[in-house]
Amino acid sequence: MRRLSLYISIVFVFLSLSGCKKDSMVYEDIGRKAETFMELALCVNSMEPDTRMAEAEETSIERLTVLVFEKNAQGEFVFAYIPEIVGWIDGMLRLKMNSEEADIRVALLANLDLSQIDGEVFQNDTKVIGIGENIKTAFDEITFDCGEQILKDGWQNRAIPMWWLMEKSVRMEPGTDMFYGSVWMLRAISKVNLLNIADEFELCEAYVYNCHKQGKAVPFLNNVYTYYLEGKNGPVADKPSLPADVQKHGLVCIDASVSNTSAGQEIANAIYLPEAIAPTKKDKSGRMYPCHPDATCLVIGGKYDGSDRITYYRIDITTGATTSTMTSTDYTDIVRNTRYDITITEVRSEGAGNPEEALGNRTDIGGIIEAWQKGPETGMIVE
């Protein structure tokens, strides 16, 4: 398995050691017990196989928070403490654990602003997560914002939120030094690449409609992952995990500068979206609405057949096939850590006069939409 090393400059790596100060954690009689450690090898899988991958945005870890959940008497995993990060060299994360025997699950949260979460806040249960809180409840409360500016500019100069959660618990024994193995950080958002290869069409603009204002940063593992077994060794996202109170943006114009390449016209800056569930509401006859008002979709603007006039077309995110129209009723979920490749292959007429009008019109263009999730064979070890 070929891996590329991603070297993170100390200047840009900020480890969030909130709650890791000695006076903010309780280690019972730690002076009389052997110290206990755990090591993990952090990896980030690639969303993009070519040279346009924005490594600084998509694969870097600029801050990291580690949470430990312990199994209680009722068999539930509840938040227990934040371990001290005592080393991060050559991709190896070394943690100083509590020196008490316990069944634990470890969670890693990367590139999230958890400044309100520290040892004191956890201990007195006044903020996001409290000591003893159930693991699923805790994760339901951690979200990230996807404001219009972030949606417009993409994650430029920002590292993408990522997470990892230990699928099965491990038993920590006092005085042990455990090497857990490789862990794969998954991103909390999806990516959309847009390519135009239609000879009769010049791509000019791009919009997103119905994008969620917030995403759930850390989904509960058992409801979200499908693990590739039998030697494939790679976790992939399976279905969306959304905040309880989901609000959406209207039309947002994306900073989608168009560049001409050997492949065709490409949006230079990829579009990053939080997860979304495919709409299910049907009309009175039981058929799915075309141009569904609840669907997260794109609207593109361009010039048809040499015209100087920009007209607009709706593109719904579907997967798996060439379509005669890109406003399909075969809607699909938008899932984290997935890249959606949208290729416009044919345009047959001018579109709507403005983006708002395009939202309600079936699009007279054809193309291919594919979902691409790549496992660890293209992994990057974070160093």
Side-chain angles (χ1 to χ4, degrees):
M1 181 172 69
R2 183 171 63 90
R3 295 181 177 175
L4 301 177
S5 293
L6 174 63
Y7 296 95
I8 301 181
S9 168
I10 294 177
V11 175
F12 294 105
V13 176
F14 168 65
L15 297 181
S16 177
L17 300 180
S18 301
C20 297
K21 299 177 182 179
K22 291 181 180 178
D23 60 357
S24 68
M25 299 303 302
V26 178
Y27 294 90
E28 181 182 356
D29 278 344
I30 190 124
R32 295 196 295 273
K33 293 183 179 179
E35 293 184 334
T36 307
F37 297 94
M38 175 182 284
E39 286 192 352
L40 310 97
L42 269 62
C43 307
V44 182
N45 69 331
S46 174
M47 287 177 76
E48 182 76 77
D50 59 35
T51 56
R52 290 187 298 127
M53 182 170 65
E55 290 185 354
E57 300 163 3
E58 293 189 355
T59 61
S60 68
I61 295 178
E62 294 182 356
R63 63 170 69 188
L64 184 68
T65 302
V66 185
L67 309 180
V68 176
F69 295 83
E70 291 184 354
K71 191 175 183 178
N72 64 14
Q74 290 74 41
E76 298 180 338
F77 284 90
V78 297
F79 175 67
Y81 64 96
I82 302 176
E84 181 181 357
I85 298 176
V86 295
W88 191 352
I89 302 174
D90 295 333
M92 296 300 299
L93 177 67
R94 186 169 175 82
L95 306 173
K96 184 177 180 181
M97 313 297 285
N98 274 6
S99 291
E100 296 178 359
E101 186 175 346
D103 291 322
I104 66 167
R105 294 175 73 178
V106 177
L108 307 179
L109 315 182
N111 305 327
L112 291 164
D113 183 8
L114 301 177
S115 56
Q116 74 244 22
I117 299 180
D118 56 31
E120 290 76 21
V121 167
F122 277 127
Q123 288 180 0
N124 63 28
D125 198 8
T126 59
K127 288 277 186 174
V128 177
I129 302 176
I131 295 292
E133 188 162 359
N134 177 275
I135 188 171
K136 184 178 185 304
T137 303
F139 286 175
D140 284 344
E141 295 169 350
I142 301 177
T143 60
F144 64 91
D145 291 329
C146 188
E148 288 196 33
Q149 194 62 39
I150 290 178
L151 186 61
K152 179 180 184 299
D153 294 338
W155 289 83
Q156 296 180 29
N157 304 316
R158 299 179 180 91
I160 289 176
M162 304 181 201
W163 97 103
W164 172 80
L165 172 63
M166 188 179 287
E167 182 189 21
K168 296 181 179 179
S169 64
V170 297
R171 175 161 284 269
M172 292 301 299
E173 303 284 351
T176 57
D177 196 337
M178 176 188 290
F179 175 63
Y180 181 81
S182 296
V183 303
W184 293 91
M185 304 290 290
L186 294 191
R187 298 165 190 82
I189 58 177
S190 66
K191 177 178 183 178
V192 178
N193 280 345
L194 187 58
L195 173 67
N196 170 46
I197 60 173
D199 292 334
E200 66 280 0
F201 184 69
E202 179 186 349
L203 182 63
C204 300
E205 300 175 7
Y207 297 77
V208 172
Y209 178 68
N210 266 348
C211 174
H212 291 169
K213 293 184 178 181
Q214 282 191 321
K216 185 180 288 188
V218 193
F220 185 55
L221 179 77
N222 295 349
N223 296 333
V224 178
Y225 270 158
T226 295
Y227 262 82
Y228 285 160
L229 301 176
E230 299 177 359
K232 295 186 179 179
N233 299 326
V236 297
D238 184 20
K239 53 188 174 183
S241 182
L242 304 182
D245 183 19
V246 177
Q247 297 180 332
K248 296 182 178 181
H249 294 291
L251 272 170
V252 179
C253 184
I254 304 300
D255 182 10
S257 305
V258 179
S259 59
N260 294 308
T261 70
S262 58
Q265 277 191 303
E266 294 179 333
I267 294 295
N269 296 321
I271 300 168
Y272 296 96
L273 303 176
E275 293 185 303
I277 295 175
T280 57
K281 184 178 179 181
K282 299 180 180 180
D283 62 21
K284 293 180 179 179
S285 64
R287 293 177 296 184
M288 188 65 70
Y289 288 102
C291 305
H292 204 293
D294 297 333
T296 300
C297 66
L298 304 184
V299 173
I300 62 165
K303 299 175 182 179
Y304 172 69
D305 201 21
S307 172
D308 291 332
R309 177 172 175 253
I310 296 178
T311 57
Y312 299 88
Y313 308 79
R314 173 172 172 150
I315 296 179
D316 286 302
I317 297 179
T318 59
T319 59
T322 301
T323 58
S324 58
T325 175
M326 298 188 85
T327 46
S328 170
T329 58
D330 184 22
Y331 303 104
T332 187
D333 295 334
I334 298 174
V335 181
R336 66 185 60 217
N337 206 62
T338 302
R339 196 188 84 216
Y340 296 90
D341 289 333
I342 299 177
T343 304
I344 301 165
T345 58
E346 181 184 11
V347 179
R348 294 179 284 270
S349 68
E350 286 194 337
N354 57 64
E356 291 79 8
E357 182 183 344
L359 288 172
N361 288 343
R362 292 185 68 84
T363 293
D364 199 17
I365 61 177
I368 302 171
I369 303 176
E370 295 179 308
W372 187 90
Q373 285 203 63
K374 199 68 173 175
E377 59 268 30
T378 56
M380 292 194 172
I381 299 177
V382 178
E383 296 190 356

